[in-house]
Amino acid sequence: LYGQLIGLVEARATKAEEDTTGRRLKPLGTRRPDEPVKTYVPPAAKADLFSEPEDPMQEKEPKPKAPLKPYPAYKPAAVPWLQQLPEHWEVLPNRALFKEVKESGLPEDEMLSVTIGRGVLKQAEHLANSTKKDSSRKDKSTYKRAAVNDIVYNKMRAWQGAFGMSRYSGIVSPAYVVQRPTSKSVAEFYHYVFRSPLFAKEAERNSYGLASDIWNLRPEDFKSIQNICPPPDEQHLIVRYLHTLDAKV
C-alpha cells in the first residue's frame, strides 16, 4: 500500500514538472553552465509586514529648522552681565528705557500680584490657586496703579526674578515698583529680559540689605543698571520668536 502511494506521488510530481508544451522542466536548483547567476532583489517599495500603511491625508511633521543665523558683527558688551552684543544694539541705563510712575487713589480697582514664577497676575486668581491669604490692607488709597504694558517688580524679590509685564489695569502694593516703558522699549521684550537668570544676578548685585530676606532693589538703583536696547522693531521680532518657542513647550 505504501509503495503504491509513493509511486502515485512520484508520478504526479513528474507530471507537474512538464509545461504546456510537453517539455520537461529542469529540476529546481540546476542551471546551464552558460546561464548567469540570478540574485533576488526585493522590491524597494515593499513595506514592512508589521508597519502600518502610510496615511496620505496625515500631516507630516515639519523638518527641524536650521539654527538661528548669527548677526554679521558683534561688539564687547558694556554691561557686566553679558559678554558681547550685536554691533548695532545700544547699551543704556534703565532710566532711559523706563519711567517710574506713582499713580494712586484708585482703591476700587482690581488687585494685582507680582509672582516669581508667572509675572503679573490678578490677585484673586493667584490666591484661588494657592494656600496664600490676602494680606492687603483694607485702605487701598495709597496702592499704585499699574496700566497695561507697565513693568512691575517686587523690590524684595527682584533678585529672584519677581518682574513682569502687566496685561491688566489694576493696583499693586506700595511695596512694588511700577515702571512705564519709553518709546525705546517694548514692554514684553523687557519682561523676558528682567525675568532671565542673567538679569536676576545683576538685580542681586544692586540690591541692598543685611540678609537675602530683606534685600531691596530700590528704584534709584534699578535706574542705574545698564541694559541692552535693540531697535524696537527688532525687540518685537524677538518677542514673536520667543512666543513660538513657548508654544512648543
Side-chain angles (χ1 to χ4, degrees):
L1 177 61
Y2 292 127
Q4 292 177 358
L5 289 175
I6 292 172
L8 179 61
V9 171
E10 289 179 345
R12 290 182 177 177
T14 302
K15 184 68 176 176
E17 290 178 356
E18 297 180 1
D19 61 11
T20 55
T21 61
R23 293 181 301 171
R24 184 75 175 270
L25 298 176
K26 62 183 178 181
L28 187 65
T30 63
R31 64 180 179 86
R32 298 191 304 273
D34 59 339
E35 184 179 357
V37 177
K38 296 182 179 179
T39 304
Y40 172 74
V41 179
K46 188 174 181 180
D48 184 358
L49 292 176
F50 298 99
S51 63
E52 295 183 0
E54 184 176 353
D55 184 359
M57 301 300 292
Q58 185 177 4
E59 185 176 350
K60 296 182 179 180
E61 293 185 3
K63 294 182 179 180
K65 295 181 180 180
L68 293 176
K69 294 181 180 179
Y71 286 95
Y74 290 82
K75 63 183 178 183
V79 291
W81 45 285
L82 290 175
Q83 294 182 348
Q84 62 178 6
L85 294 175
E87 194 171 46
H88 63 288
W89 286 19
E90 291 185 275
V91 174
L92 298 171
N94 279 332
R95 66 168 53 89
L97 303 173
F98 297 92
K99 177 183 177 182
E100 185 183 4
V101 290
K102 299 180 180 179
E103 301 171 358
S104 59
L106 300 166
E108 301 302 321
D109 278 14
E110 186 169 24
M111 277 290 298
L112 306 176
S113 295
V114 181
T115 66
I116 295 173
R118 297 175 58 193
V120 178
L121 303 174
K122 293 181 179 180
Q123 189 187 71
E125 295 179 2
H126 176 53
L127 295 178
N129 297 317
S130 72
T131 57
K132 294 183 179 180
K133 296 181 179 180
D134 183 3
S135 59
S136 62
R137 299 197 301 259
K138 289 185 178 181
D139 180 11
K140 296 180 174 60
S141 60
T142 60
Y143 279 49
K144 299 176 183 177
R145 176 177 180 263
V148 175
N149 288 335
D150 282 349
I151 294 290
V152 188
Y153 75 87
N154 183 337
K155 292 186 293 184
M156 309 291 286
R157 291 288 179 262
W159 61 278
Q160 294 177 303
F163 280 84
M165 181 196 76
S166 179
R167 300 182 186 277
Y168 319 100
S169 179
I171 55 175
V172 297
S173 165
Y176 293 168
V177 179
V178 181
Q179 301 283 352
R180 190 155 295 165
T182 65
S183 59
K184 285 182 170 289
S185 311
V186 175
E188 195 165 5
F189 173 78
Y190 286 97
H191 168 89
Y192 286 106
V193 171
F194 291 141
R195 293 177 59 77
S196 68
L198 289 173
F199 189 85
K201 282 293 182 183
E202 187 65 6
E204 178 182 339
R205 196 173 71 85
N206 285 272
S207 296
Y208 293 88
L210 296 177
S212 61
D213 285 344
I214 56 174
W215 282 348
N216 189 332
L217 181 60
R218 299 173 299 188
E220 57 269 27
D221 297 314
F222 170 83
K223 293 176 184 178
S224 66
I225 296 176
Q226 297 291 312
N227 210 334
I228 58 175
C229 183
D233 59 342
E234 196 167 337
Q235 294 180 38
H236 282 293
L237 289 174
I238 292 171
V239 168
R240 286 176 56 188
Y241 175 72
L242 293 175
H243 282 176
T244 62
L245 295 183
D246 285 345
K248 295 178 181 179
V249 176

